[in-house]
Amino acid sequence: MTTHLTHWGAFEAVSDGERLTRVRPWRGDPEPMPLIENVASAQHHPTRIFQPYVRRGWLEQGPGAPGRGADSYVPVSWERATDLLAGELRRVYGEFGPEAVYGGSYGWASAGRFHHAQSQVHRFLNCLGGYVRHVNSYSMGTSTVLLPHVLADLYWLLQQGTSKSVLVEHTELVVAFGGLSPKNSAVTPGGVSRHHARGWIAAARARGCRFVSVSPLRDDMPEEAQAEWIAPRPGSDAALMLALAQVLDAEGLADTDFLDRYTVGFDRFARYLRGADDGVVKDPDWAAAITGVPAGRIRELAREMAAARTFVTVSWSLQRAEHGEQPVWLGVVLAAMVGGIGVPGGGFGHGYGSTSSVGEPARQVSVPRLPQGENPVQTFIPVARVADMLLDPGAEYDYDGRRLVYPDIRLVYWCGGNPFHHHQNLARLREAFARPDTIVVHDPFWTSTARHADIVLPSTMSVERDDYGAGDNDRMFFPMPALTRPHGQARDDYSILAGVAEKLGIGKEFTEGRTAAEWLRHLYDQWHGGLGHTDVPDFEEFWAGEGFELGVTDAEQVVFADFRADPEAHPLSTPSGRIEIFSETIDGFGYADCPGHPVWIEPQEWLGSSAAQRFPLQLIANQPHTKLHSQLDVGAHSQSVKVAGREPVRLHPDEAAARGLNAGEVVRIFNDRGSCLAGLVVSDAVQPGIAQLSTGAWYDPDPADASFCRHGNPNVLTADRPSSMLSQGCTGQLSLVQIEPYREPLPELSVSVPPPTV
Ligand code: PGD
């Protein structure tokens, strides 16, 4: 059996050269995940792109031809496709320059460091003169901007977060805002070798650690935690956290020594808690009315947090919402008020249930990766502003204290991402995608994004090419030899781009004269040479083996321990060098939606708003548990939970009964932005007032109405509204909807077959 790696786990497989005939999880994985089943079952699905295609309208009428998303496709040879693409790139770069090319190309693509699709396309576009890029991510777009102002660089924090093994040994109380979701902990960008979603929680619990899960979904916490479940109204966590802070302050439970020595601005924040300026004390009674959590329980929890060694963790999902800065900042403030930052088992964590890598000790070294070159273009967008950019070139907007202008994009190049899965308000995205002259997509599958492209180039899946990989903070470095030949005429992104680069006269710059195999060896040798270790295998040994373990700096790492020991010698990277409970910098930006200290700001769409009268259910569009994002949605494991072919939506029994709905029937979910079909699952794991529909169903728009998805993609319902002027992050997690029975004959799905071809 040969070992291979995906973002959701390592596996071992046998192949007949064309197909994976046997697949089993990697034998070193203590908690294997069934998502592995999607790989073999999807590999030769009819929705694989067999050969290059060009949209008919674009081919016949040229760049800018209408019809994207509804056109048929013309199969062409690789020679013709690369000629057309090279010609169009020459035209756009020649007439409009690199500022007219959007190459951000957001997306997870596949594991494997060399064939990382985004790195490949960025290197290629840099060789051509650059491109408009994106900053930040859909995962953590809000925290990435907030945390450097108030605590630390987010990526540093994720890498240096206190080890789960330290929590197991020392923590007495975990208060998990957003829970510690086992499905999200199954995944790490770049791959996971050993899953630890449940084991550390069970071990901590066995030692006597208590868990409190603050989430509208019971299964956001594994059963092993035997957690207390507190379910505030979605979007109201900031009010709950403020009330916890108010109790700590009012009852003299806050660690004032810690606040004096390690933080700035507590006084300003305390004025707000005490209602000094607005006359509103942010006490548990105030919060109970907003959150629905009983005031008595809030008061008690604050006391318990002060009395125990408490670890406060906030999931990434909480910041993927309107004013998503506030719960994250308040998590930091609460951890500071109970004085646990820098102590083993205490303090603040971000994303302990959001990915497998958080809480794993940092590796001593990174792994080899493809150099992307230099991008001379300065223009960028915060990633979730893509539709605004395409729809409104020249418009000004605010971002992190700057005033920026959207560029005028003529060509969009996307490799390894699915914006028609990941972006909000898909009908609006479709309007935005109608604007550029040309859209180029590489993907193994006819995803919804590929169906909105003009030039569609089939890329290989990772099992069809040689590569190597290791996930963030993951100790195992695996060789990933190809397991099968490519499907149809698919090529690696590298070979595709090398072919186009050749036609454009930049072949040498892009390839440096190397084949993919030569790059793998070259990058490994370079990396190996730089390590100065003798215990790391050379390339031959590595390639013939089944992976090896990379060292970690400190298996028992405790984040901010140095800072706690000596804040003068080890200041934080914030402007003051301390934890900023009040940020002069953020305050100076003057943003009403993100002032200088954390606050409660009512979102536009939550169960307490007037909009809830028409749309009384809070839609939680979270990550799916049977696939990663939209990847391999056609795979067996993903399909196994569909209801009449539609994505499942979960409702509380009372909500189903109130609407006369039965489990297993297809329902229509709607609001003013759009609607979709979904298959009903009735469950008391979701609170009343909630509808939970995960992301990931391939967008399948009705031909007559792009805002109606027949398959169940929640992003037809979500708002394309930024988290705040500070971060301009994605807010796809929460929106308001209504649900009704669907009485029409069920429409056929079109995403499970290729688009019409000519
Ligand atoms: P994926 O489905 O992973 O979604 O959005 P993202 O675009 O990353 O897309 C990856 C694509 O890469 C797939 O189409 C896959 O087929 C393709 N691919 C795989 N391997 C290769 C390759 O080697 N080459 C090429 N060219 N293509 C390849 C994810 C994004 O969605 C994220 S990260 C988050 S956290 C967001 N979460 C939410 C949310 O919580 N709620 C809502 N409503 N919306 C969200 N969207 C975001």
Side-chain angles (χ1 to χ4, degrees), residues 58 63-64 68 84-93 96-105 121 124-125 128 130-132 389-390 408-414 433 435-441 454-455:
W58 190 94
R68 265 184 210 120
L84 288 166
L85 176 51
E88 179 58 358
L89 285 165
R90 209 176 282 119
R91 181 187 79 85
V92 173
Y93 273 89
F96 306 104
E99 298 254 356
V101 175
Y102 182 61
S105 188
V121 75
F124 170 77
L125 294 174
L128 269 178
Y131 60 94
V132 173
M389 170 185 73
L390 296 176
D408 190 357
I409 297 298
R410 299 297 176 130
L411 184 142
V412 173
Y413 208 129
W414 223 295
F433 260 57
R435 295 291 181 94
D437 295 349
T438 298
I439 294 178
V440 186
V441 167
D454 303 310
I455 300 177

Side-chain angles (χ1 to χ4, degrees), residues 41 54 62 70 133 164 220 306 409 439 451 608 645:
S41 49
V54 181
R133 66 199 157 94
K164 290 169 193 155
D220 271 346
I409 297 298
I439 294 178
R451 292 164 200 253

Side-chain angles (χ1 to χ4, degrees), residues 30 172 552:
E172 291 166 348
V552 298

